[in-house]
Amino acid sequence: AVPSLGGCPRVGGCNETRMLEKLPRCGKAFADMMRTVDVWKWCNLSEFIVYYQSFTNCTEVETNVVGCYWPNPLAQGFITGVHRQFFSNCTVDRTHWEDPPDAVLIPLIAVPVLLTVAMAGLVVWRSKRTGQLL
């Protein structure tokens, strides 16, 4: 009996050999769908999200049909291979944050600390001086 989508894998165990035979069908179907998308749009998920969802569903169904859990290391390895094939040129531009040089950082720390100490000293000095005037 074939489990329904989202159902539990069979009790008989995972047939990894059959899974690795079935998963390339999902990869081929995804590749065929991706050929309809311009290559320069491959890094824009909104251009092919339906195809990717179909690919994901296919890998899940094929994995469950042979009694394996999804995801599992072998299925993830296959999916990673497909990612490498289609999305290896996609990069995420992230800002690399780093501390400023010490010549800038030390004054940025020291000035507020010194101002706080000076203001506290001024308040104490004024409070003692006001007490003497009364």
Side-chain angles (χ1 to χ4, degrees), residues 7-112:
C8 295
R10 292 186 313 235
V11 178
C14 175
N15 187 335
E16 293 176 345
T17 304
R18 288 284 294 139
M19 179 183 65
L20 291 174
E21 290 171 358
K22 289 179 160 284
L23 289 179
R25 183 183 72 80
C26 301
K28 183 180 179 334
F30 181 68
D32 291 344
M33 290 183 279
M34 287 299 285
R35 282 194 198 99
T36 66
V37 178
D38 294 325
V39 174
W40 57 274
K41 293 181 180 179
W42 282 5
C43 294
N44 184 354
L45 185 61
S46 64
E47 295 290 334
F48 59 88
I49 188 68
V50 174
Y51 303 152
Y52 192 80
Q53 182 64 41
S54 176
F55 169 68
T56 304
N57 289 342
C58 179
T59 60
E60 183 175 2
V61 167
E62 294 298 353
T63 300
N64 287 332
V65 161
V66 295
C68 300
Y69 288 98
W70 187 93
N72 64 60
L74 289 175
Q76 286 176 327
F78 175 78
I79 292 167
T80 300
V82 170
H83 277 230
R84 233 180 267 120
Q85 179 183 352
F86 289 97
F87 312 121
S88 62
N89 293 329
C90 300
T91 59
V92 178
D93 294 330
R94 292 191 176 136
T95 304
H96 177 68
W97 297 97
E98 57 184 61
D99 290 336
D102 287 346
V104 174
L105 190 60
I106 291 171
L108 287 174
I109 294 170
V111 169

